[in-house]
Amino acid sequence: MGRPPSNGGPAFRFAQNEVVEMDVILQQHNNTMPSRDVIVSLAEKFSESAERKGKITVQMKQVWNWFQNRRYAIRAKISKAPGKLNVSPMPRDDSNPVRNVPQPQSVAAPSVLSAGKGATENSPMEFEARSGRDGAWYDVAAFVSHRHLETGDPEVLVRFAGFGSEEDEWVNVRKHVRLRSLPCESSECVAVLPGDLILCFQEGKEQALYYDAHVLDAQRRRHDVRGCRCRFLVRYDHDQSEEIVPLRKVCRRPETDYRLQQLHAVNEAASINQQKTTTNPSAVTAPRAITPVETMQKQHSGEAAM
């Protein structure tokens, strides 16, 4: 594990032949995360290629990050209908796409649930934890053990998804364990507003990892066949660097689910009004159409005022 460089160098990219090879392996594994041995062997093979040998060493974590992002993209296309909002309340069921983890895991350590998460004992929740080695966030595969320090702070021994026991870490439950951030679909960009805490995919020359960031500004653009084209100006918390990123690099916090639920309710009300207008135009005066962004911004302004 290592911190991505902040020297402004070009972002690391896999060659086309490397992408094709990883795609084939992912298909052979039925879109589940390959074993650590497979990922390590791929990293070593790519590092020894004629184009990279002696110049760039491909790290295991770079290959792992590629698999996790490709898996989510594939599962999102399969399990989500185009244009629909994800308004399902937490906890989510197994049919929803998840990030980084082959199969959703139930919480193994009761102390985690009692540490301010507000979840019931039988709720299958999905968590992420912050590594003390690089400050990045990773999905939790299991809570191996737990303990209390003399200060009273609870800690859990975390096994990160896609990593072996040699990468287990003791992390502070209150500070560095939380509900998993949610990758955004094209229709969910309206729920990402300036001031929000997000989990953002930062690509460096040698590594690409998920870090906490805050949204400074949102540039709304018309969607097309490729999906969301909006851009977000973010500032990473760990190094205070700023970057304009697309929605695909943004994972919103579960606390913003209520925005999508409210937006869904507004859309349903507008649809009912439209149907009434179509049935009897003289009986109903159609209200001015309110865009999803307006709805979210008004709600966000109310939150700021409170």
Side-chain angles (χ1 to χ4, degrees):
M1 297 182 180
R3 187 180 297 277
S6 55
N7 56 10
F12 174 85
R13 290 290 186 273
F14 284 105
Q16 183 60 35
N17 63 306
E18 295 170 344
V19 170
V20 171
E21 183 173 353
M22 289 187 289
D23 261 330
V24 171
I25 292 176
L26 190 59
Q27 292 175 10
Q28 294 173 346
H29 285 74
N30 296 321
N31 202 34
T32 59
M33 184 69 75
S35 66
R36 179 183 176 87
D37 292 340
V38 173
I39 295 176
V40 170
S41 64
L42 282 173
E44 293 175 350
K45 178 181 179 180
F46 296 158
S47 299
E48 291 299 316
S49 65
E51 297 80 7
R52 299 187 186 278
K53 189 172 184 179
K55 300 176 184 178
I56 299 177
T57 300
V58 179
Q59 300 181 12
M60 173 265 189
K61 210 172 264 191
Q62 290 172 311
V63 179
W64 178 77
N65 274 323
W66 184 94
F67 276 110
Q68 68 165 0
N69 289 321
R70 179 72 83 185
R71 287 177 57 251
Y72 169 70
I74 294 174
R75 295 186 66 177
K77 290 180 181 179
I78 295 175
S79 60
K80 291 292 181 180
K84 287 190 177 181
L85 293 176
N86 177 17
V87 295
S88 57
M90 293 296 291
R92 297 172 298 147
D93 60 32
D94 293 354
S95 63
N96 285 339
V98 296
R99 180 176 53 80
N100 295 359
V101 113
Q103 295 294 333
Q105 300 287 335
S106 299
V107 175
S111 60
V112 176
L113 292 180
S114 62
K117 292 299 178 181
T120 59
E121 291 184 5
N122 297 325
S123 298
M125 307 297 286
E126 299 169 357
F127 290 90
E128 62 191 14
R130 184 179 178 183
S131 169
R133 296 171 182 170
D134 56 19
W137 290 85
Y138 298 89
D139 283 346
V140 173
F143 296 105
V144 181
S145 183
H146 60 94
R147 66 187 182 186
H148 280 78
L149 302 179
E150 294 181 357
T151 58
D153 289 338
E155 287 190 340
V156 287
L157 183 61
V158 171
R159 179 153 304 162
F160 297 110
F163 294 89
S165 58
E166 67 278 2
E167 297 282 356
D168 289 354
E169 286 187 46
W170 285 100
V171 298
N172 186 295
V173 174
R174 294 192 177 99
K175 297 179 180 179
H176 300 144
V177 178
R178 65 190 184 191
L179 291 176
R180 178 177 297 148
S181 301
L182 309 174
C184 294
E185 296 183 41
S186 294
S187 60
E188 297 177 347
C189 61
V190 294
V192 182
L193 301 177
D196 282 356
L197 170 67
I198 60 171
L199 191 64
C200 195
F201 193 55
Q202 186 186 52
E203 294 182 278
K205 185 177 180 180
E206 297 177 357
Q207 282 198 135
L209 300 171
Y210 284 95
Y211 288 103
D212 274 343
H214 281 81
V215 180
L216 302 181
D217 192 18
Q219 302 173 358
R220 307 294 177 179
R221 299 180 181 179
R222 185 180 296 275
H223 293 196
D224 57 21
V225 293
R226 294 171 292 180
C228 177
R229 300 185 63 221
C230 301
R231 294 294 182 266
F232 301 89
L233 175 61
V234 304
R235 177 183 292 146
Y236 294 98
D237 290 0
H238 68 288
D239 62 5
Q240 297 300 302
S241 63
E242 296 182 5
E243 183 183 6
I244 296 176
V245 299
L247 185 68
R248 63 180 175 81
K249 290 189 177 183
V250 173
C251 294
R252 61 183 180 84
R253 296 296 302 137
E255 294 81 11
T256 61
D257 266 358
Y258 75 95
R259 295 177 183 170
L260 296 179
Q261 294 170 358
Q262 292 176 340
L263 181 59
H264 186 67
V266 170
N267 290 342
E268 285 185 347
S271 177
I272 293 174
N273 286 335
Q274 182 64 31
Q275 292 175 1
K276 290 180 179 179
T277 304
T278 303
T279 304
N280 188 0
S282 62
V284 179
T285 301
R288 180 182 71 86
I290 300 178
T291 65
V293 174
E294 284 183 64
T295 304
M296 293 296 100
Q297 287 177 340
K298 287 181 180 178
Q299 178 67 28
H300 196 54
S301 298
E303 294 172 6
M306 291 177 64

